[in-house]
Amino acid sequence: MKLFKKTEKEINKYQKAFDELLMVLGKERVLSAIEDRICYSFDATKQKALPDIVVRPGSTTDVSNTLRIANKYEVPIYARGAGSGLTGGAVPLMGGIVFDLKNMDKIIEIRPDDFTATVEPGVVTKQLQDEVAKFDLFYPPDPSSAAFSTIGGNVAECAGGITGLKYGVTRDYILALEIVLPDGSVIKTGGRKLRGVVGYDLTRLFTGSEGTLGIFTKITVKLIPKPEKIRTLAAYFRDRDDAIDAADQIIDNNILPRTLEFLDYMTINAVRSYSGTDIDEDVKALLLVDIDGTDESISYEMPIIENACKGSGAFKTKISETGKERDAIWADRRSISPALYNIAPHKINEDICVPRSKIKEALQRIDRINDQQTIYIANFGHIGDGNIHVNIMYNNDPGQEELAERIVNRVMKEVVALGGSISGEHGIGNKKSQFMEFEIPPREYDIMKRFKNYFDPKGIMNPGKMFIR
Amino acid sequence: MTTDWKTEVNKCSKCGKCQTVCPVFLETGDESTVARGRISLAEALRDKQIVYTDKLRDYVYTCKKCMRCRTVCPSDVDYEVIISALLRGVADEMGIPLLPKIVFRYILPRRILFDLMLKIGSKIQRFIPGKRRGQMRHLPLMFMGKRWIPVLAKKTALKKLRTTRKLKNPKMRVGLFTGCLINYIYVDIAESVVDVLNRMNIEVVIPQGQLCCGTPSSTMGDHKSTKKLAEVNKEVFESQNLDAIVSACATCTKSIKLDYLRTLGPSWQQMSDRIYDISEFIEKYCGDDYKTKPVDEKVTYHDPCHLMWVRGITDEPRNVLKKSADFVDMDMAGSCCGGGGIFTIIHYDLTLKMLERKVNSIERSGADTVATNCPGCIMQIADGFAGKDSKIKTTHSIQILQKALVNGNIDKSV
Ligand SMILES: Cc1cc2nc3c(=O)[nH]c(=O)nc-3n(C[C@H](O)[C@H](O)[C@H](O)COP(=O)(O)OP(=O)(O)OC[C@H]3O[C@@H](n4cnc5c(N)ncnc54)[C@H](O)[C@@H]3O)c2cc1C
Ligand code: SF4
Ligand code: SF4
């Protein structure tokens, strides 16, 4: 096997590890050709770093063997689900092993009587949602990447989604984990029961650990009954603040929508120039509200929502009657990503979260940061829980990238100053590790690092992520 | 049309969404078998980090070129430009294996030689000791003896339909692009097309000089042969003064309508605008003016990738079938049957998995017959059923329409 840019000593060490891996796992599961390494060198951040090998385990035993060997020779190892992460979690910054869990993709069991399902980490989230729906059950966490991201990746990032306001995020549905620790030992946290308060909550500690503590090999999730119906309302505003007020009004009326999405002017503008949506020129903000329940509950809640929107200044509302109409309303939201790429070739997609009462102010502060308007910033997202996607678009002109990064830095500071969070769902990875200390005080940061050192004393698990060494 | 693959690769945001639809990735789960992975390989080639190797060629060949990925890509990456460049690079840098090269360069452009070669093939096929099931033969040597392939026709479509049936006052005059599979194997499909169009008062010309559409050579990156075939076909069809060109093969239609624009440039645009899939043509020009007596058969429809995912044609064949039979949709009608090209040869095992899914959804639909608009898919699906001893028939939708027209004893438009 040919290795890149390594010292003699490292090559020796790695070579021994790889030979051993090959022996234990077989050549089907250990890929070392440059072509394979290139195919596993990136994630959705577009960062690239070449791994020395790719290992594709098929069972917990494979995972355990791989970690044991990696640990013995101190080879860095990076778990990878679908590589759809937006913070660089699966990028092998320091070389070593990319650990592709995509082939561990069995749905082990669905227990409708217990409201639980147990799956392997490589199961695609949407596939789990579809399978449980056959039992009239619902797995609510719904990242926009659900159709391709894996449950393992979702748990590792504690992914959120558009249903977060009513149903919470991945963390709220993880009941139990089987985890392989760096020394190859297997631990089990939680259990297939809806409650359990014995001891520290290790399941929660590992949820959101971004592949820095151990590898999940089995995941048990909680399910809930599937809501009977979904109905969507779109409300159009001439003023951004009115839209935010409307969102508050809806919740003040004791209604918790399934989804409460917000699109600002720059976002709508991008969508308009991309897909020619029928949204009028003077619309400055758009709210998309999904509610779910029975016919009765929906016909009770929908007029209240519509009134709240109109009362706060919406000059137009649209309500879906059929699935097709729902799709039509959501089409604008779905086209944001290509629409933004139409504006500029590069995007930094931040996922800040502020307390709901601070949304207006957060957006005002972002406006002020971008007062020169030389960079295109589009804000949209899950306004219901304060999770706004700040999309900073930049082109190839000199200085643009640095400017974009300076803006991100200032946005992060403002967000923390407002009592918010630098990541509402994408995690830290390496992209945001420099901002972690803005939010986490030194002592707490130190405690986190101690956990890391306890579980991974040799520091082989996803090095370069989360903590700046 | 002048998209440059070297800059096109930059558009990929590496989101991974292409994984959701890629028929190959859905079987393998391996990044090297999906657009995103191959785009990263293209990037590395561009940046001279890698060179062409056997492995790279395998990964490039593993793509079915179905273009489903393009339909979901949020960044609107023109993947076809990238994969075509990779295929071409493989051919330029590594050469094309001798046998396909001889076929592409010397046989495909010469109809007489091609006919001769297949004639010999058909003779040999008859002597090979293989089992036979209906119109299919189980060839013990080919593909390690697992595959049922149809028997070659004794007389090609071009020969059989040499003379144009003159209509008194035809509504239109169209040319039929036969394509290899229909010409050499499914001659009956060509006959049905001619019969159906004639019944709709459309004159059908089958230019004798036409050649293979060029898909086999282009999937192996042999741009020289591809260009040659395109040029001959251009000349042959342009000399005929036609209102339109129709084809009953999804792949040929895609090739001559879209790929030729790349191969031949804008001079093909005018012709390209007039090229139609057979159902698309009927819906557009005869949609309201034909009557049928639907056959007493439950028919479902399989969407060929090159019609559905490349051209977005899904309603037209269904509308035709709804008028011709008791139509039922199957679930996953647009999922690839696994047929087609070098992929089928290199990755027969994966092909079989895709085929199994397809066969299962056809069975679930409860149909007696599955119709589709691509002879390649017909061959593949029929192979799936032949292996299972199933009673479900596989056919072209035009043949169901023909039956329904004959059934109603309907001649000419109403
Ligand atoms: C178009 C698009 C839309 C998105 N929308 C959302 C959204 O709405 N909400 C949201 O939260 N995110 C979103 N994301 C980000 C991304 O999809 C999520 O972070 C997702 O959870 C990543 O899953 P993955 O399987 O791709 O993991 P990867 O990117 O492969 O890995 C992510 C992290 O998880 C670790 N990991 C993976 N598997 C395991 C395992 N079995 N054990 C331990 N660690 C593991 C990796 O080491 C890495 O640190 C989006 C991304 C894209 C491209
Ligand atoms: S869907 Fe498009 S942008 Fe996304 S990874 Fe695939 S090719 Fe790239
Ligand atoms: S063209 Fe088809 S086979 Fe090739 S990458 Fe796209 S979806 Fe997959």
Side-chain angles (χ1 to χ4, degrees):
Chain A
M1 286 176 204
K2 210 166 125 207
L3 302 171
F4 277 66
K5 287 188 200 147
K6 292 267 145 43
T7 62
E8 212 38 51
K9 209 169 124 214
E10 272 174 326
I11 292 176
N12 251 331
K13 186 167 78 183
Y14 285 5
Q15 193 62 57
K16 279 196 196 134
F18 300 158
D19 290 346
E20 211 168 311
L21 277 169
L22 209 56
M23 227 166 61
V24 176
L25 294 167
K27 66 176 192 302
E28 287 285 293
R29 303 211 172 277
V30 182
L31 313 178
S32 58
I34 180 74
E35 292 84 356
D36 294 308
R37 293 157 56 201
I38 287 172
C39 288
Y40 288 92
S41 63
F42 54 80
D43 73 0
T45 54
K46 289 182 93 166
Q47 297 179 90
K48 266 190 270 181
L50 208 58
D52 294 298
I53 51 167
V54 178
V55 176
R56 310 186 75 203
S59 64
T60 304
T61 314
D62 287 349
V63 174
S64 164
N65 283 329
T66 309
L67 284 184
R68 185 175 43 76
I69 295 166
N71 201 42
K72 179 164 130 198
Y73 295 100
E74 296 182 28
V75 186
I77 182 162
Y78 316 81
R80 190 177 200 270
S84 75
L86 290 170
T87 44
V91 182
L93 290 180
M94 323 228 164
I97 303 167
V98 162
F99 206 32
D100 173 29
L101 292 142
K102 195 77 189 43
N103 274 3
M104 289 180 68
D105 61 354
K106 279 191 279 305
I107 292 185
I108 299 165
E109 66 168 352
I110 298 173
R111 294 288 307 254
D113 47 349
D114 289 342
F115 275 14
T116 65
T118 301
V119 298
E120 289 189 333
V123 170
V124 169
T125 311
K126 170 98 179 7
Q127 194 199 340
L128 172 64
Q129 291 168 336
D130 289 349
E131 287 304 316
V132 304
K134 291 181 185 160
F135 298 91
D136 271 334
L137 292 169
F138 181 35
Y139 174 71
D142 194 23
S144 312
S145 56
F148 43 100
S149 64
T150 67
I151 282 285
N154 288 182
V155 177
E157 300 286 9
C158 188
I162 60 166
T163 54
L165 175 61
K166 181 163 180 177
Y167 295 110
V169 296
T170 302
R171 176 192 292 133
D172 304 310
Y173 293 85
I174 305 305
L175 292 175
L177 295 171
E178 178 185 272
I179 304 161
V180 182
L181 297 178
D183 62 2
S185 61
V186 182
I187 62 165
K188 289 183 176 157
T189 71
R192 203 189 72 208
K193 53 200 180 264
L194 297 180
R195 293 183 186 202
V197 291
V198 183
Y200 299 136
D201 192 344
L202 291 179
T203 311
R204 280 221 165 193
L205 174 65
F206 276 86
T207 305
S209 61
E210 300 189 24
T212 63
L213 300 179
I215 309 269
F216 315 132
T217 42
K218 281 195 191 97
I219 296 162
T220 299
V221 300
K222 177 171 87 176
L223 306 168
I224 59 173
K226 196 173 118 210
E228 238 172 68
K229 296 231 158 82
I230 307 176
R231 194 69 77 71
T232 298
L233 169 139
Y236 303 83
F237 298 85
R238 292 210 172 86
D239 186 294
R240 184 174 76 190
D241 286 354
D242 287 352
I244 300 168
D245 287 341
D248 285 345
Q249 280 290 312
I250 294 169
I251 294 169
D252 285 350
N253 275 296
N254 284 337
I255 292 176
L256 209 51
R258 175 190 174 102
T259 298
L260 192 41
E261 289 286 294
F262 161 84
L263 278 67
D264 78 350
Y265 179 65
M266 295 301 254
T267 310
I268 298 169
N269 221 10
V271 169
R272 185 183 293 116
S273 66
Y274 172 75
S275 62
T277 164
D278 59 358
I279 304 177
D280 301 335
E281 284 287 336
D282 59 346
V283 172
K284 292 283 189 290
L286 171 63
L287 278 189
L288 291 174
V289 193
D290 273 358
I291 50 172
D292 60 14
T294 56
D295 273 336
E296 292 76 30
S297 69
I298 289 176
S299 42
Y300 169 75
E301 288 180 349
M302 200 46 117
I304 301 179
I305 294 174
E306 192 172 21
N307 284 339
C309 290
K310 288 194 166 146
S312 309
F315 67 94
K316 192 171 109 185
T317 53
K318 242 196 251 175
I319 297 172
S320 73
E321 297 296 334
T322 63
K324 233 186 175 149
E325 285 170 16
R326 238 192 117 224
D327 283 347
I329 292 180
W330 273 94
D332 290 327
R333 170 70 174 84
R334 281 198 207 99
S335 64
I336 293 176
S337 171
L340 287 175
Y341 276 118
N342 222 28
I343 302 272
H346 307 290
K347 176 166 87 175
I348 304 180
N349 172 354
E350 287 305 347
D351 60 324
I352 56 140
C353 190
V354 293
R356 283 193 339 102
S357 58
K358 302 283 187 201
I359 293 170
K360 251 187 225 175
E361 191 169 348
L363 291 178
Q364 281 158 9
R365 291 193 188 191
I366 293 169
D367 287 348
R368 279 202 292 277
I369 294 171
N370 193 29
D371 56 356
Q372 318 250 312
Q373 304 276 324
T374 45
I375 286 246
Y376 197 99
I377 302 185
N379 302 302
F380 64 89
H382 324 310
I383 192 180
D385 31 26
N387 183 194
I388 306 286
H389 289 281
V390 181
N391 283 262
I392 298 151
M393 307 302 306
Y394 65 94
N395 57 35
N396 293 320
D397 292 347
Q400 279 259 308
E401 187 176 352
E402 292 74 34
L403 179 56
E405 269 162 17
R406 275 205 303 281
I407 291 178
V408 172
N409 193 300
R410 288 190 54 197
V411 168
M412 292 308 179
K413 282 190 178 137
E414 297 290 1
V415 163
V416 173
L418 287 171
S421 195
I422 60 170
S423 175
E425 54 182 28
H426 297 162
I428 297 299
N430 69 318
K431 276 296 197 185
K432 282 199 269 202
S433 50
Q434 53 175 321
F435 310 126
M436 184 131 146
E437 283 160 305
F438 292 2
E439 184 174 335
I440 307 294
R443 193 150 155 68
E444 288 75 354
Y445 190 89
D446 183 56
I447 291 172
M448 288 187 189
K449 274 179 78 171
R450 281 171 192 241
F451 273 117
K452 161 82 178 162
N453 289 341
Y454 171 77
F455 286 108
D456 177 26
K458 293 185 175 174
I460 60 162
M461 301 296 295
N462 213 354
K465 312 298 163 63
M466 200 116 91
F467 304 105
I468 304 174
R469 296 171 156 248
Chain B
M1 269 305 117
T2 50
T3 328
D4 173 18
W5 71 273
K6 289 184 179 165
T7 47
E8 195 63 25
V9 293
N10 296 334
K11 272 167 75 181
C12 171
S13 63
K14 303 279 187 339
C15 66
K17 196 165 181 189
C18 39
Q19 295 182 348
T20 58
V21 292
C22 175
V24 191
F25 182 83
L26 290 177
E27 301 300 342
T28 63
D30 192 338
E31 202 64 51
S32 58
T33 62
V34 70
R36 179 171 71 166
R38 279 190 219 95
I39 291 172
S40 69
L41 290 172
E43 253 173 345
L45 275 170
R46 178 195 63 187
D47 300 342
K48 306 220 163 15
Q49 288 157 343
I50 50 170
V51 292
Y52 285 92
T53 57
D54 287 349
K55 183 146 228 142
L56 183 78
R57 180 181 53 200
D58 285 352
Y59 288 168
V60 173
Y61 280 178
T62 305
C63 177
K64 294 189 58 62
K65 285 189 85 184
C66 64
M67 295 304 138
R68 258 200 95 165
C69 47
R70 266 202 85 173
T71 62
V72 298
C73 174
S75 310
D76 202 19
V77 176
D78 189 346
Y79 176 71
E80 178 138 34
V81 165
I82 299 169
I83 186 70
S84 299
L86 286 174
L87 286 162
R88 192 171 160 159
V90 166
D92 288 352
E93 301 288 325
M94 305 186 69
I96 301 159
L98 194 61
L99 185 63
K101 192 161 170 172
I102 293 174
V103 174
F104 298 154
R105 303 245 164 123
Y106 301 101
I107 300 182
L108 289 191
R110 292 177 179 82
R111 182 58 78 189
I112 298 172
L113 262 181
F114 198 2
D115 281 355
L116 186 71
M117 187 183 88
L118 287 184
K119 188 151 220 146
I120 297 169
S122 92
K123 291 262 153 57
I124 296 174
Q125 192 185 35
R126 276 162 237 269
F127 284 115
I128 288 176
K131 280 194 228 148
R132 209 186 150 110
R133 237 175 234 166
Q135 275 299 301
M136 310 283 281
R137 283 188 78 87
H138 185 315
L139 292 190
L141 298 176
M142 217 174 174
F143 313 115
M144 281 152 339
K146 290 182 227 155
R147 207 171 167 101
W148 292 92
I149 64 160
V151 184
L152 289 158
K154 286 193 181 125
K155 198 166 180 184
T156 66
L158 281 174
K159 284 204 176 119
K160 226 170 170 181
L161 299 165
R162 182 182 285 274
T163 40
T164 303
R165 189 182 148 209
K166 293 277 174 214
L167 302 182
K168 240 189 235 137
N169 203 358
K171 180 171 157 181
M172 283 170 94
R173 191 165 179 270
V174 308
L176 173 64
F177 188 88
T178 48
C180 305
L181 277 182
I182 292 182
N183 187 38
Y184 291 107
I185 294 175
Y186 298 109
V187 177
D188 48 335
I189 297 180
E191 290 176 306
S192 299
V193 172
V194 175
D195 182 47
V196 165
L197 290 178
N198 283 171
R199 280 167 193 272
M200 296 181 181
N201 196 25
I202 287 168
E203 199 165 283
V204 187
V205 183
I206 307 187
Q208 291 295 302
Q210 60 177 294
L211 298 173
C212 163
C213 72
T215 299
S217 50
S218 82
T219 40
M220 286 192 83
D222 188 354
H223 52 283
K224 230 166 126 179
S225 310
T226 311
K227 185 141 195 238
K228 173 110 195 251
L229 294 169
E231 278 164 351
V232 172
N233 283 327
K234 178 175 196 269
E235 207 181 296
V236 168
F237 278 88
E238 278 181 350
S239 67
Q240 290 284 344
N241 194 22
L242 302 163
D243 299 316
I245 301 175
V246 294
S247 159
C249 169
T251 302
C252 295
T253 318
K254 164 197 181 272
S255 168
I256 60 176
K257 188 174 176 75
L258 303 175
D259 300 352
Y260 278 21
L261 285 172
R262 243 198 321 272
T263 322
L264 299 169
S267 69
W268 185 247
Q269 189 66 55
Q270 250 203 334
M271 215 54 195
S272 163
D273 292 343
R274 284 182 281 154
I275 294 175
Y276 300 93
D277 157 71
I278 182 68
S279 305
E280 182 190 15
F281 177 85
I282 290 174
E283 275 288 285
K284 186 169 164 93
Y285 292 105
C286 317
D288 298 325
D289 54 25
Y290 68 93
K291 265 198 192 151
T292 51
K293 183 160 177 240
V295 295
D296 187 19
E297 251 177 276
K298 212 174 200 178
V299 177
T300 188
Y301 176 75
H302 156 73
D303 289 286
C305 295
H306 287 156
L307 210 51
M308 174 163 185
W309 305 113
V310 177
R311 303 220 28 242
I313 305 272
T314 54
D315 289 347
E316 293 87 339
R318 286 181 172 76
N319 290 345
V320 168
L321 286 172
K322 279 176 194 160
K323 288 189 194 172
S324 313
D326 172 12
F327 180 76
V328 282
D329 241 324
M330 66 171 110
D331 58 306
M332 304 197 299
S335 83
C336 179
C337 65
I342 23 179
F343 179 85
T344 333
I345 302 171
I346 308 176
H347 298 286
Y348 188 58
D349 49 334
L350 287 179
T351 309
L352 284 184
K353 285 191 192 161
M354 294 178 202
L355 180 59
E356 194 182 322
R357 283 179 202 241
K358 186 89 258 171
V359 164
N360 290 342
S361 20
I362 296 169
E363 281 176 341
R364 272 198 304 274
S365 76
D368 313 308
T369 302
V370 52
T372 183
N373 278 21
C374 180
C377 302
I378 292 177
M379 184 159 111
Q380 170 78 353
I381 296 171
D383 176 19
F385 283 129
K388 284 183 85 174
D389 267 336
S390 166
K391 290 208 168 50
I392 302 178
K393 294 186 288 286
T394 314
T395 189
H396 196 289
S397 1
I398 198 74
Q399 295 183 289
I400 306 273
L401 171 62
Q402 187 195 21
K403 274 201 223 164
L405 292 170
V406 173
N407 205 15
N409 215 350
I410 292 155
D411 205 355
K412 297 258 169 71
S413 54
V414 185

